[in-house]
Amino acid sequence: MQLQDGWLFMSLEEISIQVQNCKKCRLWQTAQHGVPGEGPADAKIMIVGQNPGAEEDQTGRPFVGRAGKFLTKTLAEYGIKREDVFITNIVKHTSPENRKPYDDEVAACVPYLNQQIAIIKPKVVVLLGASAKETPRVPGIEYFEIVHPSAAMRFTKMREKFRAQITELVKRIQQPN
Ligand code: URA
């Protein structure tokens, strides 16, 4: 372990344990599970949502509800396997009535995401919907903003945009650098 920006530099497993026991903000009090994220440590693509919903809270796994299933299915149609992607959220606990996380909750949690990005060093970090505005950028990492799958599921125009953006993402991943 080494010190990085005042945080101990951790492995993905250590981050996962810390998230599961995290009490840095109030959200643990109303949640069942911390949801650290999942996927390979050498993933080329990281996908980042805002925070877990009810089904993610029950299972401790990210994007397993309706929007997650839609995302997984759409990625597969473009040749991207979910198991090859690291999927996580900015805020690692669900919020009461799925409200938007408060700024202090984002500030408390975002170091976990930054450490995950620093360890995985993906080619592209894909930010879903509103999460794009909340995520501080790690220098040297490419960020790619796409429509949130829950919006793509509901609205035809959003779905068309979502598919076009995934087409772009695939091209980006296939480029040498
Ligand atoms: N599920 C998640 O894990 N995150 C989201 O942002 C939405 C659904």
Side-chain angles (χ1 to χ4, degrees):
M1 284 201 219
Q2 66 191 79
L3 274 177
Q4 201 196 45
D5 298 328
W7 274 61
L8 286 172
F9 193 82
M10 295 178 278
S11 68
L12 287 176
E13 291 73 22
E14 285 169 324
I15 293 171
S16 176
I17 291 163
Q18 290 224 357
V19 164
Q20 285 162 42
N21 296 303
C22 188
K23 296 184 175 168
K24 288 184 196 289
C25 78
R26 63 190 74 71
L27 290 179
W28 67 274
Q29 295 171 348
T30 46
Q32 294 187 49
H33 291 106
V35 183
E38 63 187 27
D42 61 351
K44 276 193 193 161
I45 303 175
M46 266 182 91
I47 297 185
V48 181
Q50 189 159 271
N51 74 322
E55 280 166 274
E56 289 78 19
D57 183 44
Q58 276 162 24
T59 57
R61 295 184 56 213
F63 286 95
V64 291
R66 281 190 66 212
K69 290 192 178 95
F70 179 79
L71 174 67
T72 303
K73 179 172 157 285
T74 311
L75 290 175
E77 285 170 28
Y78 289 83
I80 302 174
K81 293 190 205 129
R82 178 180 165 119
E83 57 268 30
D84 292 340
V85 173
F86 193 93
I87 306 190
T88 189
N89 287 289
I90 303 173
V91 171
K92 312 295 195 197
H93 278 96
T94 197
S95 45
E97 275 91 55
N98 220 6
R99 66 160 167 78
K100 190 175 177 301
Y102 298 146
D103 287 351
D104 67 322
E105 294 161 352
V106 172
C109 211
V110 89
Y112 291 123
L113 175 64
N114 285 344
Q115 289 225 9
Q116 288 171 322
I117 294 173
I119 293 167
I120 295 167
K121 297 188 190 72
K123 195 159 179 173
V124 182
V125 175
V126 179
L127 303 173
L128 301 181
S131 68
K133 287 180 205 71
E134 313 266 356
T135 316
R137 308 297 197 250
V138 174
I141 300 282
E142 186 177 341
Y143 290 81
F144 203 88
E145 299 174 23
I146 69 171
V147 168
H148 198 284
S150 58
M153 259 168 55
R154 273 179 281 158
F155 306 107
T156 310
K157 279 264 167 284
M158 289 287 130
R159 189 154 55 247
E160 285 164 4
K161 191 168 175 191
F162 181 67
R163 288 186 168 278
Q165 289 168 328
I166 295 179
T167 305
E168 274 308 303
L169 174 66
V170 170
K171 277 193 208 150
R172 180 66 201 92
I173 288 302
Q174 284 165 352
Q175 282 164 16
N177 262 306

